[in-house]
Amino acid sequence: HPLTMSTPCCASPHCVECAIGPSMLASDLSNLSSNAKSVIAAGADELHLDVMDGHFVPNITWGAPVIKCLRKSVGEDAYFDCHMMVSSPSQWVKDIADAGGSRYCFHLEAALTDSNINSSVVELCKLIRSCGMEVGVALKPGTDVSAVRDFVSLVDMVLVMTVEPGFGGQKFMPNMMPKVVHLRDTFPNLNIQVDGGLSPSTIDVAAKAGANSIVAGSAVFKAADKEEVILGLRNTVERLGMGRKESELTKKVKTRGAEVGVLVAGLMFFAGKYM
């Protein structure tokens, strides 16, 4: 049955690790590589790459060539979460895989009408896996969560859009949280992502609903301290979604770059002290 606003917006605590993925569409696109490296150093788990074709959504961003160049620049370790807002998702699977995509997240609405594949969603998921990528499926705000129920076993992640796909900088839609609660309570170990309008001021409701994968654009890239914002988002998911105590929260960025920065700062302090 369709979910309503009366559906509870708090899920039971889960144990699915938090992942923070800054949306590169909100970065300075003239310095895409340096922006990507900066958020990775600040503790980002993934880079969220919005691919728009101008058909499924009324906007055009980038495609496989840009992703391939970014992969060469940031290295093989970075996780590329490719959000495919395209009308024919099967058409671009091999190109994105060759470009270095880590996860291929297609929209269910597009897959159900994709004429290039025989059995639609099932065949698409098989194709993505055969190309060495993880599988994600996204739902637009107007799509009921029941539409994805039969496909959860085929994917690694379900993305619940909290804005209309196609443009960045929109306001978070809290009325999408019943979808997240339903997914979390029905599939406790599922990787559930939310995308659109996520920031320190909206993360609480998403975390309580059970979202563990957070896409944040402007909130990260416009912040004076990206590390602080990313860590804050992570801690909120750990506390309100996973039920962790304050003593169990992540205390520092889990990246080699940040650890090196602390080490260098320490060496400079002692060098200055004893010179």
Side-chain angles (χ1 to χ4, degrees):
H1 299 287
L3 301 179
T4 67
M5 284 296 290
S6 62
T7 304
C9 287
C10 288
S12 302
H14 61 85
C15 58
V16 187
E17 283 298 319
C18 175
I20 307 298
S23 176
M24 297 308 299
L25 189 60
S27 71
D28 176 3
L29 300 185
S30 66
N31 292 291
L32 192 62
S33 176
S34 62
N35 277 237
K37 292 175 182 177
S38 72
V39 291
I40 291 172
D45 302 287
E46 307 174 353
L47 296 178
H48 188 81
L49 300 169
D50 289 312
V51 178
M52 306 181 190
D53 65 355
H55 296 281
F56 183 72
V57 292
N59 200 3
I60 296 175
T61 53
W62 49 62
V66 171
I67 294 174
K68 188 171 185 177
C69 288
L70 187 62
R71 171 61 75 192
K72 290 180 179 179
S73 178
V74 302
E76 295 299 318
D77 292 337
Y79 190 95
F80 283 11
D81 176 25
C82 301
H83 179 191
M84 306 299 296
M85 287 172 269
V86 297
S87 59
S88 181
S90 63
Q91 180 179 351
W92 308 108
V93 174
K94 293 182 180 179
D95 286 348
I96 296 298
D98 290 343
S102 305
R103 180 194 295 131
Y104 192 98
C105 183
F106 62 90
H107 268 267
L108 181 62
E109 303 85 2
L112 292 174
T113 58
D114 191 340
S115 61
N116 293 323
I117 45 180
N118 295 324
S119 299
S120 198
V121 177
V122 175
E123 291 301 316
L124 179 56
C125 290
K126 289 180 179 179
L127 176 61
I128 295 168
R129 290 205 187 280
S130 70
C131 290
M133 295 183 290
E134 290 191 337
V135 183
V137 59
L139 300 177
K140 295 172 69 173
T143 301
D144 192 80
V145 71
S146 62
V148 78
R149 189 176 297 133
D150 293 340
F151 307 118
V152 169
S153 62
L154 304 176
V155 304
D156 300 291
M157 182 197 78
V158 174
L159 163 57
V160 175
M161 291 297 299
T162 48
V163 297
E164 289 294 339
F167 296 94
Q170 299 180 60
K171 291 185 177 180
F172 176 77
M173 299 170 66
N175 58 327
M176 293 298 105
M177 292 305 97
K179 292 184 183 182
V180 178
V181 173
H182 176 79
L183 288 170
R184 176 58 66 212
D185 287 343
T186 308
F187 308 100
N189 298 316
L190 179 63
N191 189 15
I192 303 173
Q193 185 177 84
V194 285
D195 176 12
L198 275 301
S199 70
S201 64
T202 58
I203 184 61
D204 283 21
V205 65
K208 289 178 181 178
N212 67 288
S213 180
I214 310 298
V215 176
S218 301
V220 172
F221 286 105
K222 292 185 179 180
D225 189 336
K226 295 179 178 61
E227 181 178 331
E228 180 181 358
V229 172
I230 291 173
L231 184 59
L233 296 173
R234 187 187 309 283
N235 285 169
T236 301
V237 171
E238 292 172 338
R239 185 174 64 255
L240 300 181
M242 304 175 73
R244 290 184 179 177
K245 301 176 181 178
E246 289 297 323
S247 60
E248 300 172 326
L249 302 182
T250 301
K251 294 297 189 296
K252 63 178 182 180
V253 179
K254 298 184 295 183
T255 63
R256 184 179 178 185
E259 292 170 357
V260 170
V262 172
L263 176 60
V264 170
L267 290 174
M268 291 177 66
F269 170 80
F270 284 109
K273 183 176 180 180
Y274 293 105
M275 285 181 65

